Amino acid sequence: MRFEVAEENLVTLARKASAQVVVNASPVLDATDRELLALLQANARESVTTLSKKLGVARTTVIARMERLQTSGVITGYSVRLNQATLEKSLQAYVGLAVESRAGREVLKRLAKMPEIKLVCSVSGEFDYVAWIRADSPNALDRLLDEIGETEGVSKTTTSVVLAERINRG
């Protein structure tokens, strides 16, 4: 019982210490931070105890580092990775979009209204944006691609359908 109280006090101290960390635009990450982040990316549900054993540091150190990484904005949340093949909308594609000058903002507003579009990134190279989309069927994908291509400001699209995932790190 006494050990649990002492451990709880250490956790409280660690939280208070991490709360005093100044948020920095570019937080400095050491090797332990990077290893902790890699472990969390592999399994965000890993217990603090297991993480501390794998890292070779105290539980309170792991707790403090996690709090600091969250407070500084390095960790922005935790999520669940789903086996997409078992879910609806199992057809995936990447669409490169070339956009007319000064039309980007309006194009993005229209794309944001299409629920099948899961991610849009600004990119360098031939295209201005790359969108990741999910569709229920080939016909649904075809309709969506027509809608994207007819969007005012979109001058060109190129689509690559995902055949299989080979590496997925989340």
Side-chain angles (χ1 to χ4, degrees):
M1 181 68 166
R2 198 154 218 229
F3 178 75
E4 290 173 1
V5 172
E7 185 176 3
E8 186 175 297
N9 288 338
L10 285 174
V11 170
T12 303
L13 286 172
R15 285 191 177 133
K16 285 181 183 175
S18 68
Q20 294 174 0
V21 172
V22 176
V23 176
N24 188 351
S26 306
V28 178
L29 302 178
D30 64 12
T32 304
D33 288 332
R34 293 182 192 286
E35 193 173 349
L36 174 60
L37 291 170
L39 290 169
L40 288 171
Q41 283 182 303
N43 182 3
R45 291 183 52 140
E46 196 81 75
S47 73
V48 171
T49 302
T50 303
L51 290 169
S52 70
K53 287 177 183 173
K54 288 180 178 180
L55 293 170
V57 298
R59 287 181 70 254
T60 53
T61 301
V62 172
I63 292 167
R65 284 176 182 260
M66 287 176 66
E67 296 248 349
R68 180 177 49 79
L69 292 167
Q70 291 169 22
T71 302
S72 65
V74 174
I75 296 176
T76 58
Y78 299 87
S79 64
V80 174
R81 285 191 317 235
L82 303 173
N83 180 352
Q84 297 296 337
T86 64
L87 302 174
E88 295 178 25
K89 298 186 179 188
S90 61
L91 185 60
Q92 302 176 64
Y94 288 92
V95 181
L97 295 102
V99 176
E100 296 169 4
S101 295
R102 300 190 177 140
R105 204 172 269 154
E106 277 304 309
V107 168
L108 289 173
K109 284 181 187 176
R110 291 193 176 108
L111 295 176
K113 294 178 182 176
M114 300 175 190
E116 300 88 351
I117 297 178
K118 303 303 179 188
L119 176 70
V120 177
C121 299
S122 299
V123 295
S124 63
E126 180 181 356
F127 297 102
D128 300 298
Y129 302 103
V130 172
W132 174 52
I133 60 178
R134 300 189 70 77
D136 291 323
S137 66
N139 286 336
L141 176 61
D142 186 52
R143 283 191 299 275
L144 180 64
L145 293 174
D146 286 344
E147 187 177 350
I148 292 169
E150 292 167 1
T151 300
E152 189 175 331
V154 174
S155 58
K156 176 184 174 184
T157 65
T158 299
T159 304
S160 295
V161 175
V162 174
L163 301 176
E165 288 184 0
R166 300 296 183 196
I167 298 172
N168 182 342
R169 292 194 176 105

